[in-house]
Amino acid sequence: MFVYYFQLGMRSLRHNPVLTALMVIAIGVGVAASMTAYSVFRIVSGNPIPEKASQLYAVQIDNYGPQHNEKGEPPDEMDYTDALALQRTHKAIRETSLYPVLLSVIPSNPDLRPIRSDTYAMSADAFQMFDIPFLYGRGWSASDDQNRTPVVVIGRALNERLFHGANSVGQEINLNGYEYRITGVIDRWDPQPRFFDPISVGPFGDPIQLFIPMSRAIDQQLITAGHTDCPVENYGGGWDALLHSDCVWLLHWVELPSAADARAYRQYLQDYASEQRRAGRFEWPPNIRLRNVTQWLDYEHVVPPETSLSLYISLGFLLICLVNTVGLLLAKFLRRAPEIGVRRALGASRRTIYAQFLLEGAAIGLAGGVLGLVLTGLGVWSISLIFDAQIARLATVDLKLMALTLCVAVLAAVLAALYPTWRAAKVQPAWQLKIN
Amino acid sequence: MLQITPVLAALKRHKVGTLLIGLQIALTLAIVCNALFIIHQRVTHLARPSGVAEENLLTVRNEWTNARAADLGALIHTDMETLRQLPGVQDVAVSYGYPLRGGGWESNLSIKPEDPSQAIAGARFFGDEHVLPVLGARLITGRNFRADEVRMLDSNNLSSPSVVIITKALAKRLYPDGSALGKPVYVGSSATPSTIIGIIGDMAGFSAGTWTDTTYDYVLLEPTVLIDRANAYLIRTLPGQLDTLTKVAPNALFKINRLRIIPDAENGGVRTFAEVRAHAYKDDRGLALMMGAICLVLLMITAAGIVGLTSFWVAQRRKQIGVRRALGATRNDILSYFLTENLLICMGGLMVGTVLAVGLSQWLVMRFEMERVSPLYVLLGAVVLLLLGQAATLAPALRASRVPPVEATRSV
């Protein structure tokens, strides 16, 4: 029976090629538009660290005060005084401050040019906190942090480039004129969005290839490659003045496995801010924030408005294509009222009419889906025309997206076919035969 | 000759088809007029002047990898001299920050010391005395920096400059009575004022900004070269030399000293100003392009839907049309019947669509901080859809008008 309906459906599709083509195009275009927009949206709105999104927290402490802060919100980043105080107390299970620095690998071969890779300065804890996977070796130790040791962890891509992928643990590389010993090579690690620092270089950068101890970076007076924000700009002259100033340029992350830990840490921050007030550093009541990854990404507006706007517009577009398809299917099915009447008179039940016409709808959906796949491919390819290269590089057509495209197309077509099919099944056999 | 009553009577018998076309027109209007409005806003944003003579300008971002602070002045000097010697180069400047670079230094500015109520955020460009002529910025009044005024500082020792040049827009904001030249401005939280020695025309800040901001050309130039930051060499080339220098300039720099980083173009390495501008406005242009494409396809799909359903109605009513023709209706009567029918459906759809359009716009205002759609665009969208509806109906209606009266006697 299925085969017969399918043949009937195919014949009817061929019977009215223009109408059929219109429907296929409408569904294909509608599905492709929404899938293209979705391919970007799923990346920018993705959860970069699902297992720990609720256990990692970004810390904010208001060192600006009500006169300088942003509508009562503490600054996004932290000054060195507070970051260092938190690190020293180390109340969380693991914690790290971090900031991006500009470092270049200087090849020993004088004919080669230096290599720039995105670099972060952070603490030893960060590797475990952020679930950073290692290919060779491991992160540096807490004592390296204390001793400001020139150690470095490099990324897989940089290891390929410098050592052709060999185990380079124990080797030395020259960063900005100083030798650093490699303690580990990390495997592919590219959380999107870059949750731990969406502020400095934007949330969708290339994978980080160099990590050095923050204590070492401070020692070397490496200024941040990201933002520095100051409530009072002339904080004095020189590096030490910057370190003692209220300028914010560091992020501080803590790992708090349970809700009780988070409560306790919040209390600790509250107490810390009160103490700063008593000491005369803050002239305002404690104003702190502890946001987990999800809340943090939301607060930082990581999803670009262009992305969600285009997703909603394309969904509206798909809706219009569906309304269009409903109309065309209605025209197509009702044209065949005489045929339906004859079949009903010859004993076909309503169920079979339903089966036949819904299957026909599904066939149109499938054809539309195939067209949609091609157009989605084209759409994803042209994303680089619209969005930043950083985002465009992440938008890809994978099996999941292909399957979703086909499913949405078929589902949409069957949905669109529901009402026309209901009308077709209502055709009265006797009446149709009579007017014939 | 409109035949509204019979049309309405007939439409009552085709409720669903009518509703579907009406709904589609309503939804299309809602999306198209909002999309057109967004396109208009983005295109307006795109067209904002950069204040730069954009042709024949090359930017090269340069950063030293392990130079000592004490040597940086000499290194920069050598680089500039080398670049000036290259054939095809007219002039060279060094600057931290230039219009539309993407990211830069912003400071509060005021005409009284430490008066937060007055604070105006201004983009700060740090550069030498060549920056103005190389950018091709027009000095309206006052003078350019002198070479002896240019300081080399690291950003942790930044004292306020003795002299500054500001844009006309900023001058007007600081001194609305138009007397800014020679007056003081307090940069950042500095207690010592800087003197405004020159006023230039429009100049874009370091980013294209959002299309709503009004502050984008609040720009302040100061005679300072920041030596701890990645500076840019701005190269004004002779006509026709831009492409050659795009390759020659970085190579020449590497040849004198390899211990530097010139990033790839995507990260602001070697870019012509046309590329700088294109990159800065990429989101705006992309969104406008996408909205344009969506509008076009949407209108085509809507037209196709109308053609499809009207054709069906015509086929369904061949017999009735034949009867009307046999009873004396002219071809024109039949044609205008279907056109009127479409007109009525369209108008119904457009009424609902106007409500939807305003609703959608309201939602966009709340969700994306956009402006409310201007009624002009709803009107424009409505006119476009009415014409489209009539055009789409024309072919099936013509076919209907050619139904012969004899059809009345035939069975279906």
Side-chain angles (χ1 to χ4, degrees):
Chain A
M1 257 342 212
F2 186 85
V3 177
Y4 173 61
Y5 297 151
F6 194 70
Q7 282 170 348
L8 277 182
M10 282 296 144
R11 186 180 310 163
S12 115
L13 291 186
R14 277 203 303 274
H15 185 71
N16 226 321
V18 177
L19 222 52
T20 309
L22 280 182
M23 288 188 278
V24 170
I25 291 172
I27 290 189
V29 170
V31 167
S34 21
M35 285 301 127
T36 305
Y38 173 70
S39 75
V40 178
F41 187 78
R42 66 173 175 171
I43 286 154
V44 297
S45 62
N47 184 345
I49 182 159
E51 304 81 23
K52 281 192 160 173
S54 56
Q55 295 175 28
L56 297 178
Y57 294 83
V59 180
Q60 289 170 268
I61 295 175
D62 190 357
N63 65 332
Y64 274 24
Q67 209 192 353
H68 294 287
N69 67 18
E70 190 75 26
K71 291 177 192 139
E73 281 290 330
D76 294 358
E77 295 181 279
M78 221 183 257
D79 66 22
Y80 184 68
T81 311
D82 290 333
L84 197 66
L86 298 192
Q87 273 180 45
R88 284 203 173 125
T89 329
H90 210 290
K91 282 278 179 193
I93 298 206
R94 297 190 186 96
E95 62 186 287
T96 182
S97 305
L98 53 86
Y99 75 100
V101 290
L102 293 177
L103 279 183
S104 311
V105 184
I106 299 175
S108 42
N109 180 345
D111 296 332
L112 297 178
R113 291 171 186 175
I115 300 165
R116 155 62 44 78
S117 292
D118 287 346
T119 308
Y120 268 84
M122 58 192 200
S123 309
D125 276 2
F127 296 104
Q128 266 194 304
M129 281 177 76
F130 298 150
D131 284 341
I132 300 179
F134 275 88
L135 189 62
Y136 305 116
R138 61 177 82 84
W140 58 81
S141 66
S143 61
D144 287 328
D145 275 340
Q146 268 160 24
N147 300 333
R148 298 146 192 266
T149 324
V151 282
V152 62
V153 165
I154 66 174
R156 189 183 174 124
L158 190 62
N159 191 54
E160 296 278 341
R161 196 160 160 191
L162 295 176
F163 302 99
H164 307 291
N167 185 347
S168 57
V169 173
Q171 304 263 24
E172 302 228 316
I173 54 173
N174 188 307
L175 299 178
N176 281 19
Y178 296 91
E179 297 292 324
Y180 284 70
R181 184 174 46 83
I182 298 172
T183 67
V185 178
I186 63 171
D187 208 344
R188 291 191 181 87
W189 185 66
D190 190 15
Q192 301 292 341
R194 194 188 270 178
F195 67 96
F196 55 90
D197 180 15
I199 301 163
S200 299
V201 228
F204 302 101
D206 293 325
I208 315 297
Q209 293 298 322
L210 287 171
F211 301 87
I212 60 164
M214 191 179 114
S215 53
R216 169 78 188 175
I218 300 288
D219 217 27
Q220 292 291 306
Q221 309 197 352
L222 293 175
I223 55 164
T224 175
H227 288 263
T228 307
D229 247 315
C230 305
V232 179
E233 271 182 47
N234 60 343
Y235 49 79
W239 180 252
D240 277 335
L242 174 72
L243 295 189
H244 290 110
S245 73
D246 291 320
C247 297
V248 299
W249 47 281
L250 294 144
L251 282 154
H252 194 79
W253 283 88
V254 291
E255 182 174 349
L256 306 165
S258 73
D261 295 332
R263 259 195 313 280
Y265 198 83
R266 203 180 297 272
Q267 188 55 50
Y268 158 66
L269 287 178
Q270 197 81 17
D271 295 345
Y272 170 79
S274 306
E275 191 189 300
Q276 295 299 309
R277 188 184 189 186
R278 271 196 302 279
R281 200 171 138 238
F282 297 168
E283 292 159 5
W284 45 87
N287 184 17
I288 53 116
R289 299 285 184 280
L290 196 57
R291 290 186 160 99
N292 69 24
V293 173
T294 321
Q295 295 159 338
W296 170 248
L297 290 179
D298 196 39
Y299 176 68
E300 288 296 328
H301 299 295
V302 162
V303 177
E306 271 78 13
T307 321
S308 31
L309 182 62
S310 42
L311 180 69
Y312 293 129
I313 295 269
S314 5
L315 284 178
F317 184 69
L318 179 62
L319 180 70
I320 293 179
C321 291
L322 281 188
V323 172
N324 191 52
T325 309
V326 175
L328 294 176
L329 275 176
L330 192 67
K332 197 164 155 55
F333 287 0
L334 290 188
R335 245 180 214 199
R336 281 149 64 197
E339 174 202 321
I340 300 168
V342 174
R343 286 198 59 212
R344 291 277 282 126
L346 291 178
S349 69
R350 289 221 160 118
R351 267 184 76 131
T352 54
I353 302 290
Y354 263 106
Q356 181 196 335
F357 282 84
L358 285 183
L359 203 66
E360 198 175 311
I364 290 172
L366 203 63
V370 172
L371 178 69
L373 271 185
V374 177
L375 294 179
T376 304
L378 214 66
V380 170
W381 174 78
S382 60
I383 280 172
S384 55
L385 295 177
I386 298 181
F387 295 104
D388 259 355
Q390 307 278 30
I391 292 181
R393 112 191 133 88
L394 298 167
T396 47
V397 183
D398 55 7
L399 275 179
K400 226 167 110 188
L401 191 75
M402 287 166 80
L404 191 69
T405 307
L406 285 179
C407 283
V408 169
V410 172
L411 197 75
V414 170
L415 219 63
L418 276 182
Y419 176 76
T421 304
W422 180 71
R423 286 284 300 268
K426 258 188 24 179
V427 167
Q428 297 295 326
W431 189 73
Q432 273 300 337
L433 289 179
K434 205 171 87 192
I435 62 165
N436 269 326
Chain B
M1 200 171 65
L2 295 176
Q3 321 160 48
I4 293 178
T5 334
V7 170
L8 282 178
L11 283 181
K12 269 189 200 154
R13 300 202 42 205
H14 298 278
K15 282 200 201 83
V16 177
T18 309
L19 275 177
L20 285 174
I21 294 190
L23 181 61
Q24 181 158 6
I25 285 175
L27 288 171
T28 309
L29 177 68
I31 291 196
V32 165
C33 68
N34 275 294
L36 285 178
F37 187 57
I38 292 174
I39 293 174
H40 167 80
Q41 286 173 330
R42 299 298 169 130
V43 169
T44 314
H45 187 214
L46 271 173
R48 290 207 290 208
S50 66
V52 170
E54 298 187 7
E55 271 177 41
N56 304 322
L57 183 59
L58 187 67
T59 69
V60 181
R61 183 186 153 106
N62 177 76
E63 183 192 318
W64 301 98
T65 54
N66 67 343
R68 287 186 307 136
D71 300 336
L72 283 170
L75 287 170
I76 291 172
H77 186 75
T78 316
D79 277 1
M80 308 250 296
E81 281 313 305
T82 308
L83 290 173
R84 285 205 176 94
Q85 301 303 316
L86 294 176
V89 171
Q90 191 180 318
D91 197 3
V92 180
V94 61
S95 172
Y96 175 78
Y98 51 83
L100 305 178
R101 191 199 79 162
W105 204 294
E106 200 177 61
S107 285
N108 282 334
L109 309 169
S110 60
I111 56 171
K112 287 184 203 144
E114 303 199 24
D115 181 0
S117 67
Q118 268 215 328
I120 302 151
R124 264 168 99 177
F125 294 156
F126 303 86
D128 60 5
E129 75 278 15
H130 291 276
V131 169
L132 272 192
V134 166
L135 287 178
R138 202 165 46 90
L139 203 56
I140 295 175
T141 170
R143 65 167 178 89
N144 190 4
F145 302 128
R146 289 191 311 262
D148 62 283
E149 284 167 336
V150 178
R151 320 171 294 168
M152 296 250 173
L153 293 178
D154 78 65
S155 53
N156 285 321
N157 282 310
L158 201 54
S159 53
S160 67
S162 56
V163 293
V164 295
I165 293 174
I166 61 177
T167 53
K168 185 178 64 186
L170 182 56
K172 202 161 175 204
R173 179 74 177 76
L174 290 171
Y175 291 96
D177 61 355
S179 66
L181 193 69
K183 292 281 173 65
V185 57
Y186 291 84
V187 180
S189 48
S190 170
T192 45
S194 312
T195 308
I196 301 167
I197 57 157
I199 295 172
I200 53 172
D202 287 324
M203 177 170 283
F206 45 72
S207 83
T210 60
W211 53 269
T212 41
D213 67 37
T214 49
T215 61
Y216 97 115
D217 64 352
Y218 287 0
V219 175
L220 176 137
L221 283 92
E222 59 175 272
T224 306
V225 177
L226 292 185
I227 56 171
D228 59 339
R229 305 266 163 170
N231 279 303
Y233 296 121
L234 305 174
I235 305 171
R236 166 76 47 199
T237 74
L238 296 171
Q241 299 299 309
L242 194 61
D243 288 341
T244 321
L245 281 166
T246 304
K247 292 179 199 73
V248 170
N251 286 337
L253 291 176
F254 275 119
K255 209 166 164 191
I256 36 174
N257 190 331
R258 78 173 172 114
L259 294 180
R260 66 170 89 229
I261 294 285
I262 298 177
D264 49 24
E266 200 179 287
N267 294 312
V270 184
R271 299 188 293 178
T272 65
F273 198 82
E275 288 168 331
V276 172
R277 186 187 180 96
H279 187 259
Y281 285 106
K282 187 161 193 171
D283 284 354
D284 288 304
R285 193 173 36 271
L287 203 66
L289 268 176
M290 191 186 73
M291 293 290 173
I294 281 192
C295 279
L296 205 68
V297 179
L298 208 50
L299 291 175
M300 271 156 50
I301 294 240
T302 303
I306 294 174
V307 172
L309 262 189
T310 316
S311 302
F312 167 64
W313 281 340
V314 170
Q316 213 183 23
R317 297 183 217 165
R318 282 181 78 82
K319 195 164 165 161
Q320 287 95 316
I321 296 168
V323 172
R324 282 197 64 200
R325 290 280 280 127
L327 292 176
T330 64
R331 285 186 160 196
N332 259 337
D333 288 339
I334 305 294
L335 186 69
S336 75
Y337 174 89
F338 280 100
L339 290 179
T340 310
E341 186 181 72
N342 177 269
L343 193 69
L344 287 179
I345 299 178
C346 272
M347 293 209 303
L350 291 177
M351 274 195 274
V352 179
T354 306
V355 177
L356 285 182
V358 172
L360 178 63
S361 167
Q362 184 59 37
W363 181 74
L364 289 175
V365 169
M366 291 189 321
R367 181 75 174 67
F368 296 101
E369 293 165 14
M370 294 198 170
E371 256 172 68
R372 186 158 308 142
V373 67
S374 122
L376 203 68
Y377 279 82
V378 184
L379 201 68
L380 181 72
V383 170
V384 167
L385 275 169
L386 268 186
L387 291 178
L388 187 81
Q390 294 289 293
T393 316
L394 200 61
L398 277 173
R399 215 177 312 131
S401 73
R402 283 195 289 269
V403 170
V406 69
E407 194 84 15
T409 62
R410 280 188 202 147
S411 61
V412 179

